[in-house]
Amino acid sequence: MSGPRDFDPIRLGGAEFDAWVAYYRRDWRGVLTSAVRMVRLGFGMNRPRTLQGAWWVLRANQAWAPYPDNHPEKARALMRRFYALVSAQSSLRLDPTRAAALEVEWWRVHRERQRENRASEDQLAEALVDLYAYVYDTPREPLAEAAAQRVLAMRHSDEWVAAGCRDGDPLLDHERTALVASYTALLAAVRR
């Protein structure tokens, strides 16, 4: 069984890739299906908590999705519920409110980068390291590669979105590869 410090980076990276593609196409059923896989693979929760957690992730993404009139407070509240489940059922000991704030913060920085060109890739990587270091209670330095690869995946995703979200675009392969590399680096960092 997989969990927060013992997951398959290829399967988890593929699940997140599928979630990102579905999110940008506003395919909410696809986001939910991918979120179920991500929660199960990434946190190893039992079936009822996996389904509940995936639902909170979906609803948080729906609250965040509209631009520019999204609902960050609602997204944080929903992600707080998600992280409460994670904390209750996994080996991770965290404050759900703090984890949710850090999660939605990287969403905010990414949006500023993607839509308004007001944030740098370095700022986005720092926001990811902040989240990873807190959730996994891991030193920051070993997490830098995981964050850098995730930022690279976002760059490919953002270019794909700007180009019209076309099937078969080579950017999709690059995005998936970077997400798998990100989870491979994350796994190495959190197993130390």
Side-chain angles (χ1 to χ4, degrees), residues 102-118:
L102 290 167
E103 180 82 36
V104 176
E105 176 60 11
W106 83 255
W107 297 0
R108 182 194 66 75
V109 175
H110 173 249
R111 179 160 284 179
E112 284 189 0
R113 172 116 185 100
Q114 178 189 39
R115 300 283 191 158
E116 301 162 16
N117 204 24
R118 291 188 325 170

Side-chain angles (χ1 to χ4, degrees), residues 50-119:
T50 292
L51 295 174
Q52 186 64 69
W55 179 254
W56 296 136
V57 169
L58 167 69
R59 298 297 293 149
N61 276 273
Q62 288 175 320
W64 184 260
Y67 179 81
D69 298 319
N70 65 346
H71 305 283
E73 288 299 323
K74 185 175 181 181
R76 275 188 286 277
L78 291 159
M79 288 307 296
R80 188 202 62 71
R81 289 178 172 184
F82 169 74
Y83 279 113
L85 288 175
V86 168
S87 181
Q89 178 131 10
S90 77
S91 61
L92 300 176
R93 297 295 165 240
L94 49 86
D95 171 30
T97 301
R98 175 82 176 127
L102 290 167
E103 180 82 36
V104 176
E105 176 60 11
W106 83 255
W107 297 0
R108 182 194 66 75
V109 175
H110 173 249
R111 179 160 284 179
E112 284 189 0
R113 172 116 185 100
Q114 178 189 39
R115 300 283 191 158
E116 301 162 16
N117 204 24
R118 291 188 325 170

Side-chain angles (χ1 to χ4, degrees), residues 9-180:
I10 295 171
R11 292 176 65 206
L12 188 52
E16 183 146 3
F17 166 79
D18 292 341
W20 286 13
V21 169
Y23 173 87
Y24 284 110
R25 290 182 168 159
R26 299 302 190 256
D27 170 11
W28 299 120
R29 174 181 270 174
V31 172
L32 180 60
T33 300
S34 299
V36 168
R37 289 178 26 230
M38 289 169 54
V39 171
R40 186 183 72 240
L41 293 167
F43 295 101
M45 292 193 280
N46 66 32
R47 185 165 177 78
R49 288 191 184 209
T50 292
L51 295 174
Q52 186 64 69
W55 179 254
W56 296 136
V57 169
L58 167 69
R59 298 297 293 149
N61 276 273
Q62 288 175 320
W64 184 260
Y67 179 81
D69 298 319
N70 65 346
H71 305 283
E73 288 299 323
K74 185 175 181 181
R76 275 188 286 277
L78 291 159
M79 288 307 296
R80 188 202 62 71
R81 289 178 172 184
F82 169 74
Y83 279 113
L85 288 175
V86 168
S87 181
Q89 178 131 10
S90 77
S91 61
L92 300 176
R93 297 295 165 240
L94 49 86
D95 171 30
T97 301
R98 175 82 176 127
L102 290 167
E103 180 82 36
V104 176
E105 176 60 11
W106 83 255
W107 297 0
R108 182 194 66 75
V109 175
H110 173 249
R111 179 160 284 179
E112 284 189 0
R113 172 116 185 100
Q114 178 189 39
R115 300 283 191 158
E116 301 162 16
N117 204 24
R118 291 188 325 170
S120 69
E121 287 189 348
D122 288 343
Q123 289 171 305
L124 183 52
E126 282 298 308
L128 289 165
V129 169
D130 289 344
L131 173 68
Y132 296 157
Y134 180 73
V135 168
Y136 294 99
D137 191 25
T138 299
R140 297 176 63 80
E141 186 177 327
L143 298 165
E145 181 62 20
Q149 288 296 321
R150 193 177 183 101
V151 168
L152 179 60
M154 283 183 246
R155 183 189 314 151
H156 295 311
S157 177
D158 294 346
E159 290 172 5
W160 174 72
V161 170
C165 300
R166 292 186 311 266
D167 287 333
D169 190 318
L171 288 165
L172 292 173
D173 292 333
H174 299 311
E175 178 184 337
R176 180 190 295 271
T177 298
L179 280 169
V180 169

